[in-house]
């Protein structure tokens, strides 16, 4: 199966996966409460930064009780919190293999999918090498949001916006006891799942753009939107608004 055929098969398989029961996709993630808290507080922080009215979802978080008077963490503190989300990968993790198996129809397709899944993760790790995002749960969440925003809006966020998002997510994660108590195996599965899914849709999008294939770009957008809904329970435009 050549690269073009694999990409087409990937799109079809990913769209099928996204139409499956939510529990199938959610098995990749450690805790949906953590995911929603990260995304929602980042949205609230973004509204404050832009001096916009706080969305209704912010009301349930004490830090936003004072409305516009609430302040974001100091930059240095946010960066330190993001750095604290580093972990040592679990050598026995098989989350990428499971993802590839769910996307491939037969042994050959599953092997091809595993190569693409790993390529998606590698895209992230190469792009953010030296920034402290690799083997970092905050980095995985930030990349998922950035990749989804890029595919959805046809525009990559600025480096400054990406760094701000990474720090904000790290600050939120550092306050989560659920994540603090999560094992290295759980963090590895969460990290791999987020980076691989985000990387898959971004690779498909980039290839479509380079080939001038509008249909493929459209499928990439559909894929990114589907992963956004299944993994974070949010529409892609909500993620794009965070940047």
């Amino acid at each position: 199966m050549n690269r073009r055929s694999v990409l087409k098969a990937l799109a079809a398989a990913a769209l099928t996966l996204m139409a499956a029961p939510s529990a199938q996709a959610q098995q990749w993630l450690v805790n949906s409460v953590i995911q929603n808290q990260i995304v929602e507080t980042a949205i609230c922080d973004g509204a404050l930064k832009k001096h916009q009215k706080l969305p209704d979802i912010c009301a349930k978080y004490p830090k936003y009780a004072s409305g516009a008077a609430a302040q974001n963490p100091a930059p240095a503190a946010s960066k330190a919190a993001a750095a604290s989300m580093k972990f040592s990968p679990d050598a026995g993790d098989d989350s990428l293999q499971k993802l590839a198996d769910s996307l491939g129809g037969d042994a050959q397709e599953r092997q091809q999918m595993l190569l693409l899944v790993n390529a998606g993760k590698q895209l992230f790790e190469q792009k953010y090498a030296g920034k402290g995002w690799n083997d970092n749960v905050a980095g995985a969440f930030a990349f998922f949001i950035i990749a989804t925003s890029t595919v959805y809006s046809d525009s990559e966020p600025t480096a400054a916006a990406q760094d701000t998002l990474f720090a904000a997510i790290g600050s939120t994660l550092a306050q989560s006891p659920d994540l603090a108590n999560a094992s290295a195996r759980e963090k590895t599965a969460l990290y791999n799942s987020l980076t691989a899914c985000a990387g898959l849709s971004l690779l498909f999008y980039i290839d479509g753009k380079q080939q001038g294939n509008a249909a493929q770009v459209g499928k990439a957008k559909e894929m990114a939107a589907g992963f956004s809904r299944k993994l974070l329970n949010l529409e892609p435009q909500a993620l794009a608004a965070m940047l």
Side-chain angles (χ1 to χ4, degrees), residues 23-45:
Q24 183 177 358
Q26 291 293 347
Q27 70 184 356
W28 299 331
L29 304 173
V30 176
N31 188 313
S32 62
V33 174
I34 296 176
Q35 301 152 25
N36 289 336
Q37 179 183 343
I38 293 168
V39 174
E40 290 175 354
T41 55
I43 289 174
C44 298
D45 286 340

Side-chain angles (χ1 to χ4, degrees), residues 50-155:
K50 298 174 183 177
H51 304 291
Q52 297 174 343
K53 180 182 178 181
L54 290 175
D56 291 341
I57 58 172
C58 303
K60 62 184 177 182
Y61 297 106
K63 66 180 288 188
Y64 303 110
S66 57
Q71 297 296 316
N72 291 322
S78 295
K79 290 180 180 179
S84 73
M85 291 298 102
K86 294 280 286 185
F87 65 94
S88 297
D90 183 88
D93 175 73
D94 62 352
S95 55
L96 292 181
Q97 182 66 63
K98 288 180 178 178
L99 175 58
D101 288 347
S102 71
L103 294 172
D106 55 32
Q108 182 180 4
E109 285 186 358
R110 288 193 290 273
Q111 183 58 36
Q112 293 284 357
M113 293 302 176
L114 182 59
L115 293 176
L116 281 173
V117 165
N118 276 289
K121 178 185 174 186
Q122 290 167 8
L123 173 66
F124 158 70
E125 294 185 334
Q126 292 171 2
K127 183 176 179 61
Y128 296 98
K131 292 177 67 69
W133 292 35
N134 291 354
D135 298 329
N136 188 313
V137 178
F141 270 107
F143 176 62
F144 187 92
I145 294 168
I146 291 164
T148 302
S149 176
T150 299
V151 175
Y152 171 77
S153 63
D154 289 307
S155 178

